[in-house]
Amino acid sequence: AIEPVCLPLKDGRAWMLIRTQVGRLWESFSSDGISWTSPRPSRFISSDSPAGLARLTDGRIVAIWNCCQRYPYAHGGRQVLHAAISDDDGSTWHGFREVVRDPRRLEPAHPIRGDYGTAYPIATSTSDGKLVFATGQGQSTGVFVLDPEWLRQTGQSEDFLNGLDNWSVYGTKGFNLVPHPDKFFSKRLLKDALRVERLDADFPAGAVWNFPNGRQGTIRVSFQLLPGPAKTSITLTDHFSSPFDAEAELNGLFTLQVAENMPGLGDRPLRAGEWYHLAMAWDVASRTCKVSINNEHWKDLPQLRLVTEGANYLRFRSLDDHPVGGGVLIESISANVELSAPGVAPFDLQ
């Protein structure tokens, strides 16, 4: 337990967030600065990295930290930095969005020489209600300005018009943009699609995409299956881990597998080359995720972990260890979530 950060709360207490090596920031409270409560797990999943706290001019609180776990060291790395905002002095939080990403996140290999990535945020509010923060290690070092209203957005979409800028795919191959098979006009390419397929025995195929967190929401994916037997996992989770993380499905919230000839609606096999419109509607209060294809209910997925602030990550990963054919071609993705009610803490870890 090292490198804590503190913030005064409106009720007169001081709130301390503590860096730990157990996969989560811990917290402690004090009313006089002398006596502190026994540290307990906070709601913030985290790697072995410190956090930053700041109060905005309008009274809201912003937390900045590495919501990362597992690989490559000490319960997670520092490839991305996250931020969340509270309107009610820390009872509920919204956002959990990536605010800084490692600039080498799109490369197959990442040589590790000491510390790297995003970490050690220091933040303060500006006179016009924005947040300015410094962070980073190595090539990621910089000073950034954040509009806090962005953390309260409830939707995000991806059509790949900006390439893979919003993704992390380091340590993988076989995850790349290709010409959309149906989006040509007068021999001019109108749009790309994202292909996920295991192409190299030494490199897995996978990628990670962040969206605003929600304890209830819906992810929609328009995709085709590629010919071949390899299964592809589609996983909703609440933290970042590396795109090639072989335990991501076990540590996620909801996970689904798709492949050519897998039984689909009414046990009709899923076909390669056909467009499917997948919807995953989750609700952590009921601990279920309802999955539909082309607006028809397909199956219900159980929630794999009980304690969570809700989903904020979508992951794709080829589950075959060898290039045997099979995968997905993704046309578009959208996410829409519900915000937690102000002043109602979704769970208590005490």
Side-chain angles (χ1 to χ4, degrees), residues 20-284:
T20 77
Q21 294 178 310
V22 294
R24 190 177 288 271
L25 295 172
W26 281 44
E27 62 185 1
S28 178
F29 299 88
S30 176
S31 59
D32 58 10
I34 299 174
S35 299
W36 292 81
T37 62
S38 296
R40 67 180 188 183
S42 77
R43 71 188 66 228
F44 298 107
I45 292 173
S46 180
S47 64
D48 184 5
S49 306
L53 290 172
R55 188 177 292 278
L56 301 174
T57 54
D58 61 10
R60 293 180 296 177
I61 300 173
V62 175
I64 307 178
W65 79 108
N66 297 107
C67 187
C68 309
Q69 278 202 340
R70 291 183 302 282
Y71 189 88
Y73 63 87
H75 289 277
R78 297 168 175 176
Q79 293 83 5
V80 286
L81 190 72
H82 301 79
I85 190 168
S86 176
D87 303 333
D88 51 17
D89 228 35
S91 293
T92 58
W93 294 84
H94 312 302
F96 293 74
R97 303 185 75 176
E98 295 178 350
V99 292
V100 181
R101 304 183 183 98
D102 192 306
R104 306 189 66 173
R105 68 191 178 280
L106 303 181
E107 299 180 14
H110 193 317
I112 298 176
R113 300 184 181 94
D115 284 336
Y116 67 93
T118 65
Y120 288 91
I122 301 174
T124 189
S125 61
T126 63
S127 59
D128 61 355
K130 301 295 193 300
L131 186 81
V132 60
F133 64 96
T135 188
Q137 297 170 292
Q139 298 181 28
S140 303
T141 303
V143 178
F144 306 88
V145 177
L146 176 66
D147 184 347
E149 294 308 314
W150 183 74
L151 297 175
R152 288 189 53 81
Q153 291 181 0
T154 58
Q156 185 166 310
S157 61
E158 176 64 271
D159 55 13
F160 310 110
L161 293 180
N162 293 321
L164 295 178
D165 188 57
N166 296 322
W167 295 77
S168 291
V169 298
Y170 74 94
T172 74
K173 292 183 178 179
F175 199 96
N176 58 291
L177 293 175
V178 298
H180 193 296
D182 302 329
K183 297 292 183 180
F184 282 90
F185 179 74
S186 297
K187 298 183 180 180
R188 181 170 62 90
L189 179 64
L190 296 181
K191 186 177 180 181
D192 287 338
L194 190 60
R195 186 182 182 99
V196 185
E197 182 180 12
R198 184 70 179 254
L199 300 177
D200 191 315
D202 295 327
F203 282 86
V208 180
W209 184 69
N210 174 248
F211 58 89
N213 87 298
R215 295 175 58 78
Q216 184 179 27
T218 303
I219 281 280
R220 292 179 172 84
V221 182
S222 179
F223 74 99
Q224 282 187 3
L225 290 169
L226 302 176
K231 295 179 180 179
T232 301
S233 66
I234 304 175
T235 302
L236 291 173
T237 190
D238 57 2
H239 64 278
F240 177 93
S241 64
S242 63
F244 52 85
D245 184 358
E247 297 182 352
E249 293 78 29
L250 299 176
N251 290 279
L253 295 178
F254 306 97
T255 190
L256 175 72
Q257 296 181 8
V258 294
E260 182 185 24
N261 295 324
M262 179 179 288
L265 296 172
D267 290 330
R268 299 189 303 272
L270 299 175
R271 302 295 187 187
E274 296 184 12
W275 286 110
Y276 293 103
H277 302 288
L278 173 74
M280 300 175 69
W282 75 92
D283 184 352
V284 299

